[in-house]
Coordinates of all heavy atoms in Angstrom, one line a residue:
M2 N 0.8 -1.2 0.0 CA 0.0 0.0 0.0 C 0.9 1.2 0.0 O 0.6 2.2 -0.7 CB -0.9 0.0 1.2 CG -1.9 1.2 1.2 SD -2.8 1.4 2.7 CE -4.1 0.2 2.5
A3 N 2.0 1.2 0.8 CA 2.8 2.4 0.9 C 3.5 2.7 -0.4 O 3.7 3.8 -0.8 CB 3.9 2.2 2.0
Q4 N 3.9 1.6 -1.1 CA 4.6 1.7 -2.4 C 3.6 2.3 -3.5 O 4.0 3.2 -4.3 CB 5.1 0.4 -2.9 CG 6.3 0.0 -2.1 CD 6.7 -1.4 -2.5 OE1 5.9 -2.2 -3.1 NE2 8.0 -1.8 -2.1
R5 N 2.3 1.9 -3.4 CA 1.3 2.5 -4.4 C 1.1 3.9 -4.1 O 0.9 4.7 -5.0 CB 0.0 1.7 -4.3 CG 0.1 0.3 -4.9 CD -1.3 -0.3 -5.1 NE -2.1 -0.2 -4.0 CZ -2.4 -1.3 -3.1 NH1 -1.8 -2.5 -3.3 NH2 -3.1 -1.1 -2.1
A6 N 1.0 4.3 -2.8 CA 0.8 5.7 -2.4 C 2.0 6.5 -2.9 O 1.8 7.6 -3.4 CB 0.6 5.8 -0.9
A7 N 3.2 6.0 -2.7 CA 4.3 6.8 -3.0 C 4.4 7.0 -4.6 O 4.7 8.0 -5.1 CB 5.6 6.1 -2.6
A8 N 4.1 5.9 -5.3 CA 4.1 6.0 -6.8 C 3.0 7.0 -7.3 O 3.3 7.7 -8.3 CB 3.8 4.6 -7.4
A9 N 2.0 7.1 -6.6 CA 0.9 8.1 -7.0 C 1.2 9.5 -6.4 O 0.4 10.4 -6.6 CB -0.4 7.6 -6.5
G10 N 2.2 9.6 -5.6 CA 2.5 10.9 -5.0 C 1.5 11.3 -3.9 O 1.2 12.4 -3.6
L11 N 1.0 10.2 -3.2 CA 0.1 10.4 -2.1 C 0.7 10.1 -0.7 O -0.1 9.8 0.2 CB -1.1 9.5 -2.3 CG -1.9 9.8 -3.6 CD1 -3.0 8.8 -3.8 CD2 -2.5 11.2 -3.6
T12 N 2.0 10.3 -0.6 CA 2.6 10.1 0.7 C 2.2 11.3 1.6 O 1.9 12.3 1.1 CB 4.1 10.0 0.6 OG1 4.6 11.2 0.1 CG2 4.5 8.8 -0.2
P13 N 2.2 11.1 2.9 CA 1.9 12.2 3.8 C 2.7 13.4 3.5 O 2.2 14.5 3.6 CB 2.1 11.6 5.2 CG 1.9 10.2 5.1 CD 2.5 9.8 3.7
I14 N 4.0 13.3 3.3 CA 4.8 14.5 3.0 C 4.4 15.1 1.8 O 4.4 16.4 1.7 CB 6.3 14.1 3.1 CG1 7.2 15.3 2.9 CG2 6.7 13.1 1.9 CD1 7.2 16.2 4.1
E15 N 4.1 14.4 0.8 CA 3.6 15.0 -0.5 C 2.3 15.8 -0.4 O 2.2 16.9 -0.9 CB 3.5 14.0 -1.6 CG 4.8 13.3 -2.1 CD 5.7 14.3 -2.7 OE1 5.2 15.3 -3.4 OE2 6.9 14.2 -2.6
V16 N 1.4 15.2 0.4 CA 0.1 15.9 0.7 C 0.4 17.2 1.5 O -0.2 18.3 1.2 CB -0.8 15.0 1.4 CG1 -2.1 15.7 1.9 CG2 -1.2 13.8 0.5
M17 N 1.2 17.1 2.5 CA 1.5 18.3 3.3 C 2.2 19.4 2.5 O 1.9 20.6 2.6 CB 2.4 17.9 4.5 CG 1.6 17.2 5.6 SD 2.7 16.8 7.0 CE 3.4 15.3 6.5
L18 N 3.2 19.0 1.6 CA 3.9 20.0 0.8 C 3.0 20.6 -0.2 O 3.0 21.8 -0.5 CB 5.1 19.4 0.2 CG 6.2 19.0 1.1 CD1 7.3 18.2 0.3 CD2 6.8 20.2 1.8
K19 N 2.1 19.8 -0.8 CA 1.1 20.3 -1.8 C 0.2 21.3 -1.1 O 0.0 22.5 -1.6 CB 0.3 19.2 -2.4 CG -0.6 19.7 -3.5 CD -1.4 18.6 -4.1 CE -2.2 19.2 -5.2 NZ -3.1 18.2 -5.8
A20 N -0.3 21.0 0.1 CA -1.2 21.9 0.8 C -0.5 23.2 1.2 O -1.0 24.3 1.0 CB -1.8 21.3 2.0
M21 N 0.8 23.0 1.6 CA 1.6 24.2 2.0 C 1.8 25.1 0.8 O 1.5 26.4 0.9 CB 2.9 23.8 2.5 CG 3.9 24.9 2.9 SD 5.6 24.4 3.2 CE 6.1 23.9 1.5
R22 N 2.1 24.6 -0.4 CA 2.3 25.4 -1.6 C 1.0 26.1 -2.0 O 1.0 27.2 -2.4 CB 2.9 24.5 -2.7 CG 4.3 24.1 -2.4 CD 4.9 23.3 -3.5 NE 6.2 22.8 -3.1 CZ 6.5 21.5 -3.0 NH1 5.6 20.6 -3.2 NH2 7.7 21.1 -2.7
E23 N -0.1 25.4 -2.0 CA -1.4 25.9 -2.4 C -1.7 27.1 -1.5 O -2.1 28.2 -2.0 CB -2.5 24.9 -2.4 CG -2.4 23.9 -3.5 CD -3.4 22.8 -3.5 OE1 -4.3 22.9 -2.6 OE2 -3.3 21.9 -4.3
H24 N -1.6 27.0 -0.2 CA -1.9 28.1 0.7 C -0.9 29.3 0.5 O -1.3 30.4 0.6 CB -1.9 27.6 2.2 CG -3.1 26.8 2.5 ND1 -4.4 27.3 2.6 CD2 -3.3 25.5 2.8 CE1 -5.3 26.3 2.9 NE2 -4.6 25.2 3.0
A25 N 0.3 28.9 0.3 CA 1.3 30.0 0.1 C 1.0 30.7 -1.2 O 1.2 32.0 -1.2 CB 2.7 29.4 0.1
S26 N 0.6 30.1 -2.2 CA 0.3 30.8 -3.5 C -0.9 31.7 -3.3 O -1.0 32.7 -4.1 CB 0.1 29.8 -4.6 OG -1.2 29.1 -4.4
K27 N -1.7 31.4 -2.4 CA -2.9 32.3 -2.2 C -2.6 33.3 -1.0 O -3.5 34.0 -0.6 CB -4.1 31.5 -1.7 CG -4.6 30.5 -2.8 CD -5.7 29.6 -2.2 CE -6.0 28.5 -3.1 NZ -7.0 27.6 -2.5
K28 N -1.3 33.4 -0.6 CA -0.8 34.2 0.5 C -1.6 34.0 1.8 O -1.8 34.9 2.6 CB -0.9 35.7 0.1 CG 0.0 36.0 -1.2 CD 0.3 37.4 -1.3 CE 1.1 37.8 -2.5 NZ 2.0 36.9 -3.0
E29 N -2.0 32.7 2.0 CA -2.6 32.3 3.3 C -1.5 31.8 4.1 O -1.3 30.6 4.3 CB -3.7 31.3 3.0 CG -4.9 31.8 2.1 CD -5.8 30.7 1.7 OE1 -5.4 29.5 1.8 OE2 -6.9 31.0 1.2
W30 N -0.7 32.7 4.7 CA 0.5 32.3 5.3 C 0.3 31.5 6.6 O 1.1 30.6 6.9 CB 1.4 33.6 5.7 CG 1.6 34.4 4.4 CD1 1.2 35.6 4.1 CD2 2.4 33.9 3.3 NE1 1.7 36.0 2.9 CE2 2.4 35.0 2.3 CE3 3.1 32.8 3.0 CZ2 3.1 34.9 1.1 CZ3 3.7 32.7 1.8 CH2 3.7 33.7 0.8
A31 N -0.7 31.8 7.4 CA -1.0 31.0 8.6 C -1.2 29.5 8.3 O -0.7 28.6 8.9 CB -2.1 31.6 9.4
E32 N -2.0 29.3 7.3 CA -2.3 27.9 6.9 C -1.1 27.3 6.3 O -0.8 26.1 6.6 CB -3.5 27.9 5.9 CG -4.8 28.1 6.6 CD -5.2 27.1 7.6 OE1 -5.1 25.9 7.4 OE2 -5.6 27.5 8.7
A33 N -0.3 28.0 5.5 CA 0.9 27.4 4.8 C 1.9 27.1 5.9 O 2.5 26.0 5.9 CB 1.5 28.4 3.9
A34 N 2.0 27.9 7.0 CA 2.9 27.7 8.0 C 2.5 26.4 8.8 O 3.4 25.7 9.3 CB 3.0 28.9 9.0
K35 N 1.3 26.2 9.0 CA 0.8 25.0 9.7 C 1.3 23.7 9.0 O 1.8 22.8 9.6 CB -0.7 24.9 9.8 CG -1.3 25.8 10.9 CD -2.8 25.5 11.0 CE -3.5 26.8 11.3 NZ -5.0 26.6 11.3
F36 N 1.1 23.7 7.7 CA 1.5 22.6 6.9 C 3.1 22.5 6.8 O 3.6 21.3 6.8 CB 0.9 22.6 5.5 CG -0.5 22.2 5.5 CD1 -1.5 23.2 5.3 CD2 -0.9 21.0 5.7 CE1 -2.8 22.9 5.3 CE2 -2.3 20.6 5.7 CZ -3.2 21.6 5.5
A37 N 3.8 23.6 6.8 CA 5.2 23.6 6.8 C 5.7 23.0 8.0 O 6.7 22.2 8.1 CB 5.7 25.0 6.6
Q38 N 5.1 23.3 9.2 CA 5.5 22.8 10.5 C 5.3 21.3 10.5 O 6.1 20.6 11.1 CB 4.7 23.5 11.6 CG 5.2 23.2 13.0 CD 4.5 23.9 14.0 OE1 3.5 24.6 13.8 NE2 5.0 23.9 15.2
M39 N 4.2 20.9 10.0 CA 3.9 19.4 10.0 C 4.9 18.6 9.1 O 5.3 17.5 9.4 CB 2.5 19.1 9.5 CG 1.5 19.5 10.5 SD -0.2 18.9 10.1 CE -0.6 20.0 8.7
A40 N 5.3 19.3 8.0 CA 6.2 18.6 7.0 C 7.7 18.7 7.4 O 8.5 17.8 7.0 CB 6.0 19.2 5.6
A41 N 8.0 19.7 8.2 CA 9.5 19.9 8.5 C 10.2 18.7 9.1 O 11.3 18.4 8.7 CB 9.6 21.1 9.5
P42 N 9.6 17.9 10.0 CA 10.4 16.8 10.6 C 10.7 15.7 9.5 O 11.7 15.0 9.7 CB 9.4 16.1 11.6 CG 8.5 17.2 12.0 CD 8.4 18.1 10.8
Y43 N 9.9 15.7 8.4 CA 10.3 14.7 7.4 C 11.4 15.1 6.5 O 12.1 14.3 5.9 CB 9.0 14.4 6.5 CG 7.9 13.8 7.2 CD1 6.9 14.5 7.8 CD2 7.8 12.4 7.3 CE1 5.8 13.9 8.4 CE2 6.8 11.8 7.9 CZ 5.7 12.6 8.5 OH 4.7 12.0 9.2
I44 N 11.6 16.4 6.4 CA 12.7 17.0 5.6 C 13.9 17.4 6.4 O 15.0 17.3 5.9 CB 12.1 18.2 4.8 CG1 10.9 17.7 3.9 CG2 13.1 18.8 3.9 CD1 10.2 18.8 3.2
H45 N 13.6 18.0 7.6 CA 14.8 18.5 8.4 C 14.7 17.8 9.7 O 14.1 18.3 10.7 CB 14.6 20.0 8.6 CG 14.4 20.8 7.4 ND1 15.4 21.0 6.4 CD2 13.3 21.4 6.8 CE1 15.0 21.7 5.4 NE2 13.7 21.9 5.6
P46 N 15.4 16.6 9.8 CA 15.4 15.9 11.1 C 16.1 16.7 12.2 O 17.0 17.5 11.9 CB 16.1 14.6 10.8 CG 16.9 14.8 9.6 CD 16.2 15.9 8.8
R47 N 15.6 16.5 13.4 CA 16.3 17.2 14.6 C 17.7 16.7 14.8 O 18.0 15.5 14.6 CB 15.4 17.0 15.8 CG 14.1 17.6 15.8 CD 13.4 17.4 17.1 NE 12.0 18.0 17.1 CZ 11.6 19.1 17.6 NH1 12.6 19.9 18.2 NH2 10.4 19.5 17.5
L48 N 18.5 17.6 15.2 CA 19.9 17.2 15.5 C 19.9 16.4 16.9 O 19.1 16.6 17.8 CB 20.7 18.4 15.8 CG 20.9 19.3 14.5 CD1 21.7 20.5 14.9 CD2 21.6 18.6 13.4
Q49 N 20.7 15.4 16.9 CA 20.8 14.5 18.0 C 22.0 15.0 18.9 O 23.0 15.5 18.4 CB 21.1 13.1 17.6 CG 19.9 12.5 16.8 CD 18.6 12.4 17.6 OE1 18.7 11.9 18.7 NE2 17.6 12.8 17.0
A50 N 21.9 14.8 20.2 CA 22.9 15.1 21.1 C 24.1 14.1 20.9 O 23.9 12.9 20.6 CB 22.4 15.0 22.6
I51 N 25.3 14.6 21.1 CA 26.4 13.8 20.9 C 27.2 13.7 22.3 O 27.5 14.8 22.8 CB 27.4 14.3 19.8 CG1 26.7 14.3 18.5 CG2 28.7 13.4 19.7 CD1 27.4 14.9 17.4
Q52 N 27.4 12.5 22.7 CA 28.2 12.4 24.0 C 29.7 12.3 23.7 O 30.0 11.4 22.9 CB 27.7 11.2 24.8 CG 28.3 11.1 26.2 CD 27.8 9.9 27.0 OE1 26.8 9.4 26.6 NE2 28.4 9.6 28.1
H53 N 30.5 13.1 24.3 CA 31.9 13.0 24.1 C 32.5 12.3 25.3 O 32.1 12.5 26.4 CB 32.5 14.4 24.1 CG 32.0 15.2 22.9 ND1 32.5 15.0 21.6 CD2 31.1 16.1 22.7 CE1 31.9 15.8 20.8 NE2 31.0 16.5 21.4
T54 N 33.5 11.4 25.0 CA 34.2 10.7 26.0 C 35.7 10.8 25.8 O 36.1 11.2 24.7 CB 33.8 9.2 26.0 OG1 34.2 8.6 24.8 CG2 32.3 9.0 26.3
G55 N 36.5 10.4 26.8 CA 37.9 10.5 26.7 C 38.4 9.2 26.0 O 37.7 8.4 25.4
K56 N 39.7 8.9 26.2 CA 40.3 7.8 25.7 C 39.6 6.4 26.1 O 39.3 6.3 27.3 CB 41.8 7.7 26.2 CG 42.6 6.7 25.5 CD 44.1 6.9 25.9 CE 44.9 5.9 25.2 NZ 46.4 6.0 25.5
E57 N 39.3 5.6 25.2 CA 38.7 4.3 25.4 C 37.4 4.4 26.2 O 37.0 3.5 27.0 CB 39.7 3.3 26.1 CG 40.9 3.1 25.3 CD 41.9 2.2 26.0 OE1 41.5 1.6 27.1 OE2 43.0 2.0 25.6
G58 N 36.6 5.5 25.9 CA 35.3 5.6 26.5 C 35.3 6.2 27.9 O 34.3 6.3 28.5
G59 N 36.5 6.4 28.4 CA 36.6 7.0 29.8 C 36.2 8.4 29.9 O 35.8 9.1 28.9
P60 N 36.4 9.0 31.0 CA 36.2 10.5 31.2 C 37.1 11.3 30.4 O 38.3 10.9 30.1 CB 36.3 10.7 32.7 CG 37.2 9.6 33.2 CD 36.9 8.4 32.3
I61 N 36.7 12.5 30.1 CA 37.6 13.5 29.4 C 38.5 14.0 30.4 O 38.2 14.5 31.5 CB 36.7 14.6 28.8 CG1 35.8 14.0 27.7 CG2 37.6 15.7 28.2 CD1 34.8 15.0 27.2
E62 N 39.8 13.9 30.1 CA 40.8 14.4 30.9 C 41.2 15.8 30.5 O 41.5 16.1 29.3 CB 42.0 13.5 30.9 CG 41.8 12.1 31.5 CD 42.9 11.2 31.5 OE1 44.1 11.7 31.4 OE2 42.8 10.0 31.5
V63 N 41.3 16.7 31.4 CA 41.7 18.1 31.1 C 43.0 18.3 31.8 O 43.2 18.1 33.0 CB 40.6 19.0 31.7 CG1 41.0 20.5 31.4 CG2 39.3 18.7 31.2
A64 N 44.0 18.7 31.0 CA 45.3 19.0 31.5 C 45.6 20.4 31.4 O 45.2 21.1 30.4 CB 46.4 18.1 30.7
D65 N 46.5 21.0 32.3 CA 46.9 22.4 32.2 C 47.8 22.5 31.0 O 48.7 21.6 30.8 CB 47.6 22.8 33.5 CG 46.6 22.9 34.6 OD1 45.5 23.2 34.4 OD2 47.1 22.7 35.8
M66 N 47.7 23.5 30.3 CA 48.6 23.8 29.1 C 48.9 25.3 29.0 O 48.1 26.1 29.5 CB 48.0 23.2 27.9 CG 46.8 23.8 27.4 SD 46.2 23.1 25.8 CE 45.6 21.6 26.3
S67 N 50.0 25.5 28.4 CA 50.4 26.9 28.2 C 49.4 27.6 27.2 O 48.7 27.0 26.5 CB 51.7 27.0 27.6 OG 51.8 26.6 26.3
R68 N 49.4 28.9 27.3 CA 48.5 29.7 26.3 C 48.8 29.4 24.9 O 48.0 29.3 24.1 CB 48.6 31.2 26.6 CG 47.9 31.6 27.9 CD 48.1 33.1 28.0 NE 47.2 33.7 29.0 CZ 45.9 34.1 28.8 NH1 45.4 33.9 27.6 NH2 45.2 34.5 29.8
N69 N 50.1 29.2 24.6 CA 50.6 28.9 23.2 C 50.1 27.6 22.8 O 49.6 27.4 21.6 CB 52.1 29.0 23.1 CG 52.6 30.4 23.2 OD1 51.9 31.3 22.9 ND2 53.9 30.5 23.5
D70 N 50.2 26.6 23.7 CA 49.6 25.2 23.3 C 48.1 25.3 23.1 O 47.6 24.7 22.2 CB 49.9 24.2 24.4 CG 51.4 23.8 24.4 OD1 52.1 24.0 23.4 OD2 51.8 23.3 25.5
L71 N 47.4 26.0 23.9 CA 46.0 26.2 23.8 C 45.6 26.8 22.5 O 44.7 26.4 21.8 CB 45.4 26.9 25.0 CG 43.9 27.2 25.0 CD1 43.1 25.9 25.0 CD2 43.5 28.0 26.2
A72 N 46.3 27.9 22.2 CA 46.1 28.6 20.9 C 46.3 27.7 19.7 O 45.6 27.7 18.7 CB 46.9 29.9 20.9
R73 N 47.4 26.9 19.8 CA 47.8 26.0 18.7 C 46.7 25.0 18.5 O 46.3 24.7 17.4 CB 49.1 25.4 19.1 CG 49.8 24.8 17.8 CD 51.2 24.3 18.2 NE 52.1 25.4 18.6 CZ 52.7 25.5 19.8 NH1 52.5 24.6 20.7 NH2 53.5 26.5 20.1
R74 N 46.1 24.5 19.6 CA 45.1 23.5 19.5 C 43.8 24.1 18.9 O 43.1 23.5 18.1 CB 44.8 22.8 20.8 CG 45.9 21.9 21.2 CD 45.5 21.1 22.4 NE 46.6 20.2 22.8 CZ 46.4 19.2 23.6 NH1 45.3 18.9 24.1 NH2 47.5 18.4 23.9
I75 N 43.5 25.3 19.3 CA 42.2 25.9 18.8 C 42.4 26.2 17.4 O 41.5 25.9 16.6 CB 42.0 27.2 19.6 CG1 41.5 26.9 21.0 CG2 40.9 28.0 18.9 CD1 41.4 28.1 22.0
L76 N 43.5 26.7 16.9 CA 43.8 26.9 15.5 C 43.7 25.7 14.7 O 43.1 25.7 13.6 CB 45.2 27.6 15.3 CG 45.2 29.1 15.7 CD1 46.7 29.6 15.6 CD2 44.4 29.9 14.8
H77 N 44.2 24.6 15.2 CA 44.1 23.3 14.5 C 42.7 22.9 14.3 O 42.3 22.4 13.3 CB 44.9 22.2 15.3 CG 44.9 20.9 14.7 ND1 45.5 20.6 13.5 CD2 44.2 19.8 15.1 CE1 45.3 19.3 13.2 NE2 44.4 18.8 14.1
M78 N 41.8 23.1 15.4 CA 40.4 22.7 15.3 C 39.7 23.5 14.3 O 38.8 23.1 13.6 CB 39.8 22.8 16.6 CG 40.2 21.7 17.6 SD 39.2 21.7 19.1 CE 39.8 23.2 19.9
L79 N 40.1 24.8 14.2 CA 39.3 25.8 13.3 C 39.8 25.7 11.9 O 39.1 26.2 11.0 CB 39.5 27.2 13.9 CG 38.8 27.4 15.3 CD1 39.1 28.9 15.7 CD2 37.3 27.1 15.2
R80 N 41.0 25.2 11.6 CA 41.5 25.2 10.3 C 40.6 24.3 9.4 O 40.3 23.1 9.8 CB 42.9 24.6 10.3 CG 43.6 24.6 8.9 CD 45.0 24.1 9.0 NE 45.8 24.9 9.9 CZ 46.7 24.4 10.8 NH1 47.0 23.1 10.8 NH2 47.4 25.2 11.6
P81 N 40.2 24.8 8.2 CA 39.4 24.0 7.3 C 40.2 22.8 6.8 O 41.4 22.9 6.6 CB 39.0 24.9 6.2 CG 39.9 26.1 6.3 CD 40.5 26.1 7.7
E82 N 39.5 21.7 6.7 CA 40.2 20.5 6.2 C 40.5 20.6 4.7 O 39.7 21.2 3.9 CB 39.2 19.2 6.4 CG 39.0 18.9 7.8 CD 38.2 17.6 7.9 OE1 38.2 16.8 7.0 OE2 37.5 17.5 9.0
K83 N 41.6 20.1 4.3 CA 42.0 20.1 2.9 C 41.4 19.0 2.1 O 41.3 17.9 2.7 CB 43.5 20.1 2.7 CG 44.2 21.3 3.4 CD 45.7 21.2 3.2 CE 46.3 22.4 3.9 NZ 47.8 22.3 3.8
A84 N 40.9 19.3 1.0 CA 40.2 18.2 0.2 C 41.2 17.3 -0.5 O 42.3 17.5 -0.6 CB 39.3 18.9 -0.9

């Protein structure tokens, strides 16, 4: 059933996007916004929390370091990766 609906363009996301576009074309912004809000989770998933751990899953160890070492590490993290 799901495959037939998708082939016909009748998935929930397609219906919501079509309704959103129709209301937007008529400048019915409140209604368009409702459908956009319903469709958003299908297109823009929420970011997940990431847990950081130290070596081998242990706690993160914080060591004292000089200002120069700290600056060097920060610059290394901010430097764009080379392709």
Side-chain angles (χ1 to χ4, degrees):
M2 183 189 281
Q4 289 174 341
R5 287 194 311 259
L11 297 174
T12 62
I14 185 67
E15 291 296 327
V16 172
M17 286 182 273
L18 291 173
K19 183 176 181 185
M21 177 190 73
R22 290 182 186 117
E23 287 177 6
H24 286 290
S26 70
K27 298 175 189 174
K28 301 201 182 325
E29 296 171 347
W30 302 116
E32 288 297 312
K35 282 187 216 175
F36 286 106
Q38 186 176 12
M39 287 188 287
Y43 293 94
I44 299 172
H45 308 287
R47 291 182 185 258
L48 296 176
Q49 298 295 315
I51 298 173
Q52 182 177 353
H53 296 281
T54 60
K56 188 174 182 178
E57 298 178 11
I61 296 174
E62 295 180 20
V63 180
D65 290 330
M66 64 178 72
S67 71
R68 287 181 166 273
N69 285 340
D70 287 340
L71 179 60
R73 202 173 291 120
R74 287 189 182 196
I75 291 171
L76 285 173
H77 178 72
M78 288 187 291
L79 296 176
R80 183 179 301 141
E82 292 184 29
K83 295 179 182 177

